[in-house]
Amino acid sequence: MKRQRKNFVGIIGLFAVAAMTAFAYNIPIPSVNAESAGATTSITVNVVNERIPTMTIVDPSDGDVVADPAVDVRFTFTNADSFVFHIKNNRTGDTYDINEPLDPSIDPAVASGTQVKALNLEDYGTYGDSFTITVSTVGVSNFAEDSVTISLKSVVVEQVDPDDPSNPEDDPVIEIKDKMPGVCSISIQAYQLPAGNPLFDPAIVQNVESLTARIVLPFDDALAESGQYRIEVTPLTCTDPSNPDDEPQPTGTPESIIINYTTPETPAVPNTGLMFAGLNISQSDYIITGLVIFFIISGGVLIYLKKSRR
């Protein structure tokens, strides 16, 4: 009986081994499993490039307005072998490219630092134009760039706060920020909008050999009306002091700004009339009152005379 039990257990064990072997045989290998699932195995390799370039234009700033066409573009950079200057005239659409080598004073092994490039904007346009300057690094495989847009004007003029004790009429005040070379004076005219009638006769001429900080425009003296005005400033050439016939001549291009002007309030005139002016008494009332007073006084005089005779 015991022997039969052992044989039964052994047979069960053989069946278990056979089942496990069959199960293991039918399990797919990893490559087959991946193919059957339609998936792929990928390996990502990150390559670190230690020479990452950077570029920043330090001067001029974006939006600057200059009157001298000679402009120094100062920029800082890292990991650059050379540079490309891309200059676009925004009025004409013309573009210019300039290749600029690395400054010899900068160690090529470091290839980082600050560099300056001198430009003359008149080589790419004229007064009244704006320019977009882009500086790009040239290096290994990557590059970096930075851009600024600046404007070239014959004279840079701004309106400033007229609130000043020396300007009790609150006349408009302008300030000359900069001027092109060869300008010693400016002509100023104000045109009332929308008609465009000139306000000053003649136009105001102001010496600006050493930049005049503030110029008060005599609107009150010119009896200007409230409204909007276009202030036009025309640069004038320098003259030869030894030649009295040498007159200043317009040069460059006129520049304009728009201002709003409000005439000063007229102070209220105090009421210095008669004390009865505000009583709303008509002329006939004054006459009747006068007659009543006349009769009272006359009657009093007659009574006094009669008593005196007695």
Short mmCIF file of all heavy atoms in Angstrom, two decimals, residues 59-60 69-75 85 87 98 100 115-121 123-124 133:
data_model
loop_
_atom_site.label_atom_id
_atom_site.label_comp_id
_atom_site.label_asym_id
_atom_site.label_seq_id
_atom_site.Cartn_x
_atom_site.Cartn_y
_atom_site.Cartn_z
N ASP A 59 26.37 98.43 -25.98
CA ASP A 59 26.18 99.82 -26.39
C ASP A 59 26.30 99.90 -27.92
O ASP A 59 27.19 99.26 -28.49
CB ASP A 59 27.22 100.72 -25.72
CG ASP A 59 26.94 102.19 -25.90
OD1 ASP A 59 25.84 102.62 -25.55
OD2 ASP A 59 27.82 102.90 -26.44
N PRO A 60 25.37 100.61 -28.59
CA PRO A 60 24.25 101.40 -28.07
C PRO A 60 23.10 100.51 -27.61
O PRO A 60 23.09 99.30 -27.87
CB PRO A 60 23.84 102.24 -29.28
CG PRO A 60 24.22 101.39 -30.46
CD PRO A 60 25.47 100.67 -30.06
N PRO A 69 26.96 110.26 -36.69
CA PRO A 69 26.93 108.98 -37.40
C PRO A 69 28.02 108.01 -36.98
O PRO A 69 27.93 106.81 -37.26
CB PRO A 69 27.08 109.38 -38.87
CG PRO A 69 27.77 110.71 -38.83
CD PRO A 69 27.29 111.39 -37.58
N ALA A 70 29.08 108.51 -36.34
CA ALA A 70 30.14 107.63 -35.85
C ALA A 70 29.67 106.93 -34.58
O ALA A 70 29.51 107.56 -33.54
CB ALA A 70 31.41 108.43 -35.60
N VAL A 71 29.44 105.62 -34.67
CA VAL A 71 28.88 104.84 -33.57
C VAL A 71 29.83 103.70 -33.25
O VAL A 71 30.27 102.97 -34.15
CB VAL A 71 27.49 104.28 -33.94
CG1 VAL A 71 26.97 103.37 -32.84
CG2 VAL A 71 26.51 105.41 -34.18
N ASP A 72 30.16 103.55 -31.98
CA ASP A 72 30.95 102.41 -31.51
C ASP A 72 30.01 101.35 -30.96
O ASP A 72 29.26 101.61 -30.01
CB ASP A 72 31.95 102.84 -30.42
CG ASP A 72 33.10 103.65 -30.99
OD1 ASP A 72 33.35 103.55 -32.20
OD2 ASP A 72 33.75 104.39 -30.22
N VAL A 73 30.03 100.17 -31.57
CA VAL A 73 29.21 99.05 -31.10
C VAL A 73 30.06 98.20 -30.17
O VAL A 73 31.02 97.57 -30.59
CB VAL A 73 28.69 98.21 -32.28
CG1 VAL A 73 27.81 97.06 -31.76
CG2 VAL A 73 27.90 99.08 -33.25
N ARG A 74 29.69 98.19 -28.90
CA ARG A 74 30.43 97.43 -27.88
C ARG A 74 29.61 96.19 -27.52
O ARG A 74 28.42 96.29 -27.23
CB ARG A 74 30.67 98.29 -26.64
CG ARG A 74 31.49 97.61 -25.53
CD ARG A 74 31.61 98.54 -24.33
NE ARG A 74 32.23 99.79 -24.71
CZ ARG A 74 33.54 99.99 -24.74
NH1 ARG A 74 34.36 99.00 -24.38
NH2 ARG A 74 34.04 101.15 -25.10
N PHE A 75 30.28 95.03 -27.56
CA PHE A 75 29.56 93.79 -27.29
C PHE A 75 30.44 92.83 -26.48
O PHE A 75 31.67 92.86 -26.57
CB PHE A 75 29.11 93.11 -28.59
CG PHE A 75 30.23 92.86 -29.58
CD1 PHE A 75 30.86 91.63 -29.64
CD2 PHE A 75 30.63 93.85 -30.46
CE1 PHE A 75 31.88 91.38 -30.54
CE2 PHE A 75 31.66 93.62 -31.37
CZ PHE A 75 32.28 92.39 -31.41
N PHE A 85 28.75 91.24 -38.71
CA PHE A 85 27.86 92.38 -38.48
C PHE A 85 26.87 92.45 -39.64
O PHE A 85 27.26 92.55 -40.80
CB PHE A 85 28.66 93.68 -38.40
CG PHE A 85 29.23 93.96 -37.05
CD1 PHE A 85 30.34 93.26 -36.60
CD2 PHE A 85 28.66 94.91 -36.21
CE1 PHE A 85 30.88 93.50 -35.35
CE2 PHE A 85 29.19 95.15 -34.97
CZ PHE A 85 30.29 94.45 -34.53
N ILE A 87 23.88 94.77 -41.00
CA ILE A 87 23.30 96.11 -40.84
C ILE A 87 22.19 96.29 -41.86
O ILE A 87 22.41 96.11 -43.06
CB ILE A 87 24.38 97.20 -41.02
CG1 ILE A 87 25.52 96.96 -40.04
CG2 ILE A 87 23.77 98.59 -40.82
CD1 ILE A 87 26.74 97.79 -40.33
N ILE A 98 29.33 92.59 -42.64
CA ILE A 98 30.74 92.88 -42.39
C ILE A 98 31.31 91.75 -41.55
O ILE A 98 30.78 91.44 -40.48
CB ILE A 98 30.92 94.22 -41.65
CG1 ILE A 98 30.24 95.35 -42.42
CG2 ILE A 98 32.38 94.53 -41.42
CD1 ILE A 98 30.21 96.67 -41.66
N GLU A 100 34.09 90.43 -39.09
CA GLU A 100 34.96 91.06 -38.09
C GLU A 100 35.75 89.96 -37.37
O GLU A 100 35.16 89.05 -36.78
CB GLU A 100 34.12 91.85 -37.09
CG GLU A 100 34.90 92.56 -36.00
CD GLU A 100 35.67 93.75 -36.53
OE1 GLU A 100 35.51 94.12 -37.71
OE2 GLU A 100 36.46 94.32 -35.75
N GLN A 115 34.50 93.37 -27.04
CA GLN A 115 35.11 93.90 -28.25
C GLN A 115 34.30 95.09 -28.73
O GLN A 115 33.11 95.21 -28.46
CB GLN A 115 35.17 92.80 -29.32
CG GLN A 115 36.04 93.15 -30.51
CD GLN A 115 36.46 91.92 -31.30
OE1 GLN A 115 36.81 90.89 -30.69
NE2 GLN A 115 36.44 91.99 -32.61
N VAL A 116 34.95 96.00 -29.47
CA VAL A 116 34.31 97.21 -29.98
C VAL A 116 34.50 97.29 -31.49
O VAL A 116 35.61 97.07 -32.00
CB VAL A 116 34.88 98.48 -29.31
CG1 VAL A 116 34.23 99.74 -29.89
CG2 VAL A 116 34.68 98.43 -27.80
N LYS A 117 33.42 97.60 -32.19
CA LYS A 117 33.47 97.79 -33.64
C LYS A 117 32.99 99.19 -33.96
O LYS A 117 31.89 99.60 -33.59
CB LYS A 117 32.59 96.76 -34.34
CG LYS A 117 32.42 96.98 -35.83
CD LYS A 117 33.71 96.78 -36.58
CE LYS A 117 33.49 96.90 -38.09
NZ LYS A 117 34.75 96.78 -38.85
N ALA A 118 33.82 99.98 -34.67
CA ALA A 118 33.46 101.35 -35.05
C ALA A 118 32.69 101.32 -36.37
O ALA A 118 33.16 100.74 -37.36
CB ALA A 118 34.70 102.21 -35.17
N LEU A 119 31.52 101.96 -36.38
CA LEU A 119 30.70 102.05 -37.58
C LEU A 119 30.42 103.51 -37.91
O LEU A 119 30.34 104.35 -37.01
CB LEU A 119 29.36 101.33 -37.40
CG LEU A 119 29.39 99.81 -37.17
CD1 LEU A 119 27.96 99.31 -36.94
CD2 LEU A 119 30.02 99.08 -38.33
N ASN A 120 30.27 103.81 -39.20
CA ASN A 120 29.81 105.12 -39.64
C ASN A 120 28.46 104.92 -40.34
O ASN A 120 28.39 104.36 -41.43
CB ASN A 120 30.82 105.76 -40.60
CG ASN A 120 30.47 107.21 -40.92
OD1 ASN A 120 29.31 107.62 -40.84
ND2 ASN A 120 31.45 108.00 -41.28
N LEU A 121 27.38 105.35 -39.70
CA LEU A 121 26.04 105.08 -40.21
C LEU A 121 25.79 105.75 -41.56
O LEU A 121 24.92 105.31 -42.32
CB LEU A 121 25.00 105.54 -39.19
CG LEU A 121 25.00 104.80 -37.85
CD1 LEU A 121 23.91 105.35 -36.94
CD2 LEU A 121 24.82 103.30 -38.06
N ASP A 123 27.60 105.45 -44.01
CA ASP A 123 27.98 104.47 -45.03
C ASP A 123 26.79 103.60 -45.43
O ASP A 123 26.84 102.91 -46.46
CB ASP A 123 29.11 103.57 -44.52
CG ASP A 123 30.41 104.33 -44.33
OD1 ASP A 123 30.56 105.41 -44.93
OD2 ASP A 123 31.28 103.85 -43.56
N TYR A 124 25.73 103.62 -44.62
CA TYR A 124 24.59 102.73 -44.85
C TYR A 124 23.26 103.48 -44.99
O TYR A 124 22.22 102.85 -45.15
CB TYR A 124 24.49 101.73 -43.70
CG TYR A 124 25.82 101.15 -43.31
CD1 TYR A 124 26.46 101.57 -42.14
CD2 TYR A 124 26.46 100.23 -44.12
CE1 TYR A 124 27.70 101.07 -41.79
CE2 TYR A 124 27.71 99.72 -43.77
CZ TYR A 124 28.33 100.15 -42.61
OH TYR A 124 29.57 99.65 -42.28
N ILE A 133 21.08 96.71 -36.22
CA ILE A 133 22.44 96.15 -36.21
C ILE A 133 22.39 94.81 -35.48
O ILE A 133 21.97 94.75 -34.32
CB ILE A 133 23.43 97.10 -35.52
CG1 ILE A 133 23.43 98.47 -36.23
CG2 ILE A 133 24.83 96.51 -35.49
CD1 ILE A 133 24.21 99.53 -35.51
#
